[in-house]
């Protein structure tokens, strides 16, 4: 019984390290996607503000 406990405790870090690696990769991908979305959103907001400013300048 003690041998099974020792073998189990030795093998336990293996799945944890594999899952940790997968989670890190997924986190990096999500971070890149979030940065792209933030960039697109800020471009959209800045573009709308620029168009509004230009429309006001043209009217006056």
């Amino acid at each position: 019984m003690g041998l099974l406990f020792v073998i189990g405790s030795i093998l336990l870090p293996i799945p944890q390290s594999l899952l940790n690696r997968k989670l890190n990769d997924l986190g990096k991908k999500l971070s890149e996607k979030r940065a792209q979305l933030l960039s697109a959103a800020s471009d959209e907001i800045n573009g709308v503000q620029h168009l509004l400013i230009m429309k006001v300048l043209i009217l006056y």
Side-chain angles (χ1 to χ4, degrees):
M1 190 65 151
L3 182 63
L4 290 176
F5 178 75
V6 171
I7 291 173
S9 63
I10 291 173
L11 295 177
L12 185 63
I14 293 172
Q16 290 177 347
S17 66
L18 293 175
L19 289 174
N20 190 23
R21 190 174 304 145
K22 286 184 180 182
L23 283 175
N24 284 337
D25 292 342
L26 181 61
K28 287 178 185 177
K29 288 179 184 178
L30 289 175
S31 178
E32 291 171 1
K33 293 291 184 180
R34 185 178 64 235
Q36 289 175 353
L37 179 63
L38 180 61
S39 176
S42 65
D43 286 346
E44 184 73 24
I45 290 169
N46 290 333
V48 168
Q49 289 175 351
H50 181 72
L51 289 175
L52 289 174
I53 290 170
M54 293 306 289
K55 185 177 178 181
V56 168
L57 291 177
I58 292 172
L59 289 177
Y60 291 105

